[in-house]
Amino acid sequence: MASFSFDVVSDFDRQELVNTLDQVRRDVAQRYDLKDSGTEIELEEGSLTITTASDMTLDAVVDVLRQKATKRDLSLKIFDFQPAEAVGGNKVKQQVVLRKGLSQELAKQLSKTVRDELKKVTVAIQGDSLRITGKSKDDLQQAIQLLKAQDVEVPLQFENYR
C-alpha cells in the first residue's frame, strides 16, 4: 500500500525580502516626514538593521516595512524585532532577527500535537523541518489543518506533498 508524505518547514523567499527592502528604502527616500532622517536599512545573513534619526521615524520605517512585506506575501512572523537602542549622534538602531527553520523545541511540540490528535500518521523530525507520513491523503489534510490552527511564532509552509 502506498504511503504519502509532506514536509513542514519555516522559510521565506529571500529575494522577496530583498525586493521588499528596496521598496522600503524608496518609500523612505520619497516620504516628506522620513526624507531627511538619514535612515539606513542593512540586510545581513540572518538579520537586518534599521538605523534612523529618532524613535518616531523608527516606528514609521517599521510600519512601512510591515506594509511592504504584507503586499509581497511575506509573513510578518519572520521578523523578530529586538528592542531599539540609542547609538552615537542622536540616532536609534534596531536589530530585526529573521526567523527561519523550526527550532528543536517547536518541532517537538508540533510533533507531539500531531501524534496526540491523529493516530494514523507518523511524524519525524528532520533537522529544522518535520516529515509527516500517512497511508491516506485525507489524514495528511487533517494534519495540515491541525498545524494551521496552531498559534506558533514562525510561519509554517507545507512542501513536498506526495
Side-chain angles (χ1 to χ4, degrees):
M1 179 136 179
S3 74
F4 304 99
S5 68
F6 69 92
D7 295 334
V8 181
V9 297
S10 177
D11 203 358
F12 60 89
D13 186 349
R14 188 159 180 90
Q15 188 57 49
E16 283 299 323
L17 179 65
V18 169
N19 294 343
T20 299
L21 293 179
D22 286 343
Q23 284 184 331
V24 171
R25 286 184 190 105
R26 243 179 280 134
D27 224 40
V28 166
Q30 291 175 349
R31 269 184 51 173
Y32 178 75
D33 58 337
L34 300 175
K35 194 181 295 186
D36 298 326
S37 64
T39 301
E40 294 176 15
I41 303 171
E42 298 171 29
L43 178 62
E44 287 112 40
E45 186 60 38
S47 66
L48 53 103
T49 307
I50 303 170
T51 309
T52 189
S54 68
D55 286 331
M56 195 171 74
T57 55
L58 179 64
D59 291 342
V61 171
V62 167
D63 193 42
V64 171
L65 174 64
R66 286 186 169 133
Q67 288 173 4
K68 299 298 182 188
T70 304
K71 283 185 181 173
R72 297 197 73 93
D73 289 333
L74 283 174
S75 172
L76 296 180
K77 291 181 177 182
I78 68 170
F79 301 116
D80 183 12
F81 292 94
Q82 304 299 312
E85 55 193 52
V87 292
N90 293 336
K91 289 203 169 244
V92 179
K93 180 169 132 181
Q94 184 171 32
Q95 192 81 11
V96 183
V97 177
L98 301 172
R99 293 183 179 136
K100 190 173 188 171
L102 300 175
S103 66
Q104 281 300 113
E105 303 84 47
L106 182 61
K108 286 178 184 174
Q109 173 194 342
L110 293 174
S111 171
K112 182 178 178 350
T113 303
V114 170
R115 274 188 270 122
D116 290 349
E117 294 288 324
L118 304 170
K119 303 296 182 205
K120 295 182 180 178
V121 297
T122 57
V123 184
I125 299 174
Q126 297 182 329
D128 59 357
S129 67
L130 286 179
R131 162 101 11 117
I132 299 181
T133 311
K135 288 188 176 8
S136 155
K137 285 186 178 181
D138 292 339
D139 294 337
L140 296 185
Q141 290 292 340
Q142 284 179 333
I144 289 174
Q145 293 307 317
L146 177 67
L147 290 171
K148 281 184 179 177
Q150 300 298 310
D151 184 30
V152 293
E153 72 268 8
V154 295
L156 298 178
Q157 290 88 30
F158 308 100
E159 298 179 342
N160 300 331
Y161 191 87
R162 52 178 165 248

